[in-house]
Amino acid sequence: MPTSKTAKQAAPQVSFVSLGCPKALVDSERIITRLRAEGYELTREHKGADLVIVNTCGFLDSAQAESLDAIGQALAENGKVIVTGCMGAEPEKITGKYPNVLAVTGPQQYESVVKAVHKAAPPRHDPFVDLVPPEGIKLTPRHYAYLKISEGCNNRCTFCIIPKLRGDLVSRPAADVLREAERLVTAGVKELLVISQDTSAYGVDIKYAASKWKDREVRAKFLDLSRELGTLGAWVRLHYVYPYPHVDDVIPLMADGIVLPYLDIPFQHAAPGVLKRMKRPAAQAKTLERIARWRELCPDITLRSTFIVGFPGETDADFETLLEWLDEASLDRVGCFRYEPVAGATANDLADAVPKDVTEERWHRFMARQQAISKKRLKRKVGTRQQVIIDEAGPTVAKGRTRGDAPEIDGSVYVASRRPLRVGEIVTVKIERADEYDLHGTATGF
């Protein structure tokens, strides 16, 4: 009779590739959690695994190309590949190039993925050995986790095909979100990164219905959920927040330290004509006044955004308007994308395409302008003391982030310390120097 150790070694092995945004990463975590609960083992190597799962991104042509390359590599190294994710919403793009993939499923189709895995490599589960922690399997470091509060989107931005890939907005009940968040914090998570396609639209599809959380009813509203998450003892960071008017109500929570003073708002542009062609939600006319008011209410607030240059029909005047707006808004962190004509996006037919060399020149000008702004804003932190969460340990210098920096997309703080710092530790750091994107300082409190 085989021992438990032998049974565990005999468990099917799955290699997993997760591409795309944090929302797709959460999908990957859910699939992996289910497979681990059924006794599957994860491996980093395609070669020798029983099969490979590729979670694709299909938003931009460049992302689709990356996904197809990943599928091709998996087929070459293993031969048994299951494809899921956003690109799976258009399976012919995958099967047309790789007809021998085992299965193709769309985003959020967890059951279909698991069923395909069962068919290719049936589970051999030992319930006494194969245990899954209550918080599930996470692909992020132990000290932070993405918390997805809804799927899909009701907006119809002309450059975006996400609603086509992921459907309309579907919000989770507040109690479900809070229970997951509590499990994560109990497991040692120090930072919750709240994500969705349209975070500030949370609950509109279910008419903000209340659900029972501990001893009280909590409405599925952006403000209510943010307030409750702030009671769990972890940093709460809000991402993908469209600037609807009710976003103003969350700023006092930031000023009071309930959630992090950080707002990730994808403004995308500033020229009225471009915004109209983009069909961007929420009123844009008074955005600068709102930003000034947010800073009055919460002086420590960090504002991050993303923009697109080279959008069809963008004129020189439109671009100059964007640069002027950028100067006045003085945002802390900014990302910029060169417009790509996504298949199926209505933006492609709205106006004449901007030549690629013009788009490239505008992108460089935009980035240079914002780099100067970011450097100036970072210099204001020199001499201050900041709370920093450590992401990478080192013998004398560790790498971390302030409350104003999200992982992967924002800057870092390089922290000198008289003792080695631990990953996930939150320390007080005196900031001594700043460059274009990062800060440098010394730990003064533990």
Side-chain angles (χ1 to χ4, degrees), residues 29 133 135-146 181 183-193 234 389-391 401 422-425:
E29 291 173 342
E135 72 276 11
I137 305 300
K138 292 295 169 186
L139 299 177
T140 51
R142 185 173 181 267
H143 62 290
Y144 68 81
Y146 293 104
R183 288 194 297 269
L184 290 169
V185 174
T186 300
V189 168
K190 302 286 187 67
E191 179 181 11
L192 297 168
L193 300 123
I389 189 166
I390 302 301
D391 289 330
R401 294 174 288 108
R422 300 182 302 274
V423 172
E425 187 174 3

Side-chain angles (χ1 to χ4, degrees), residues 400-428:
R401 294 174 288 108
T402 71
R403 299 192 303 164
D405 297 303
E408 305 293 335
I409 56 174
D410 292 330
S412 300
V413 185
Y414 292 89
V415 185
S417 176
R418 64 177 182 269
R419 69 158 173 83
L421 299 176
R422 300 182 302 274
V423 172
E425 187 174 3
I426 297 177
V427 297
T428 301

Side-chain angles (χ1 to χ4, degrees), residues 23 30 86 89 107-108 110 148-157 160-172 196-199 201-206 242 244:
K23 294 176 285 295
R30 290 175 178 172
C86 285
Q108 306 157 46
Y110 316 120
K148 185 155 60 168
I149 64 174
S150 66
E151 301 282 2
C153 184
N154 286 344
N155 298 314
R156 294 297 183 265
C157 301
C160 182
I161 59 171
I162 292 297
K164 178 182 176 182
L165 299 177
R166 289 184 169 260
D168 288 336
L169 180 71
V170 178
S171 300
R172 299 174 61 191
S196 65
Q197 198 61 40
D198 183 356
T199 299
Y202 172 68
V204 67
D205 58 306
I206 54 176
Y242 287 84
Y244 304 120

Side-chain angles (χ1 to χ4, degrees), residues 64-371:
Q64 292 186 13
E66 181 185 12
S67 296
L68 289 171
D69 286 345
I71 296 167
Q73 181 180 348
L75 284 168
E77 295 181 16
N78 184 280
K80 297 172 70 176
V81 179
I82 293 169
V83 181
T84 186
C86 285
M87 199 171 174
E90 300 177 289
E92 66 280 356
K93 290 186 176 180
I94 297 165
T95 56
K97 185 169 184 178
Y98 301 116
N100 54 334
V101 294
L102 297 179
V104 179
T105 71
Q108 306 157 46
Q109 295 181 8
Y110 316 120
E111 293 299 326
S112 297
V113 176
V114 173
K115 184 177 179 181
V117 172
H118 288 171
K119 184 176 180 180
R124 293 187 289 276
H125 182 41
D126 183 346
F128 298 102
V129 177
D130 302 315
L131 301 178
V132 173
E135 72 276 11
I137 305 300
K138 292 295 169 186
L139 299 177
T140 51
R142 185 173 181 267
H143 62 290
Y144 68 81
Y146 293 104
L147 183 67
K148 185 155 60 168
I149 64 174
S150 66
E151 301 282 2
C153 184
N154 286 344
N155 298 314
R156 294 297 183 265
C157 301
T158 57
F159 56 83
C160 182
I161 59 171
I162 292 297
K164 178 182 176 182
L165 299 177
R166 289 184 169 260
D168 288 336
L169 180 71
V170 178
S171 300
R172 299 174 61 191
D176 285 358
V177 176
L178 290 165
R179 277 191 288 269
E180 179 183 351
E182 187 176 49
R183 288 194 297 269
L184 290 169
V185 174
T186 300
V189 168
K190 302 286 187 67
E191 179 181 11
L192 297 168
L193 300 123
V194 180
I195 60 170
S196 65
Q197 198 61 40
D198 183 356
T199 299
S200 41
Y202 172 68
V204 67
D205 58 306
I206 54 176
K207 297 182 171 57
Y208 311 115
S211 52
K212 186 77 175 240
W213 162 244
K214 295 188 174 178
D215 60 345
R216 55 195 179 276
E217 296 284 326
V218 180
R219 295 182 302 171
K221 295 200 76 170
F222 179 58
L223 176 64
D224 299 50
L225 183 64
S226 298
R227 184 187 295 112
E228 293 293 340
L229 288 171
T231 68
L232 298 178
W235 285 9
V236 177
R237 193 180 300 280
L238 303 174
H239 284 280
Y240 313 122
V241 179
Y242 287 84
Y244 304 120
H246 67 265
V247 171
D248 295 357
D249 299 333
V250 176
I251 307 303
L253 297 184
M254 299 180 179
D256 292 340
I258 296 171
V259 300
L260 291 181
Y262 180 97
L263 210 49
D264 175 9
I265 296 187
F267 289 119
Q268 305 296 17
H269 215 281
V274 176
L275 289 169
K276 185 176 181 180
R277 288 195 298 278
M278 287 181 169
K279 286 191 177 179
R280 292 296 292 156
Q284 295 282 347
K286 297 184 178 180
T287 300
L288 290 172
E289 290 89 339
R290 292 177 71 196
I291 289 173
R293 189 162 65 251
W294 295 342
R295 286 175 168 152
E296 286 177 9
L297 291 170
C298 183
D300 292 335
I301 192 170
T302 293
L303 298 176
R304 142 166 271 283
S305 190
T306 52
F307 295 85
I308 298 172
V309 296
F311 191 80
E314 182 190 58
T315 64
D316 289 339
D318 291 332
F319 182 67
E320 291 300 328
T321 296
L322 174 58
L323 293 183
E324 291 169 5
W325 189 94
L326 205 62
D327 286 336
E328 191 167 351
S330 190
L331 303 177
D332 300 271
R333 301 289 190 183
V334 168
C336 183
F337 296 93
R338 305 164 181 85
Y339 177 76
E340 287 188 33
V342 180
T346 57
N348 304 331
D349 304 318
L350 291 176
D352 291 338
V354 176
K356 286 188 176 181
D357 59 333
V358 174
T359 297
E360 189 70 15
E361 186 268 341
R362 288 176 182 173
W363 184 85
H364 284 287
R365 286 180 61 194
F366 180 101
M367 294 303 293
R369 184 73 65 97
Q370 179 57 39
Q371 185 180 76

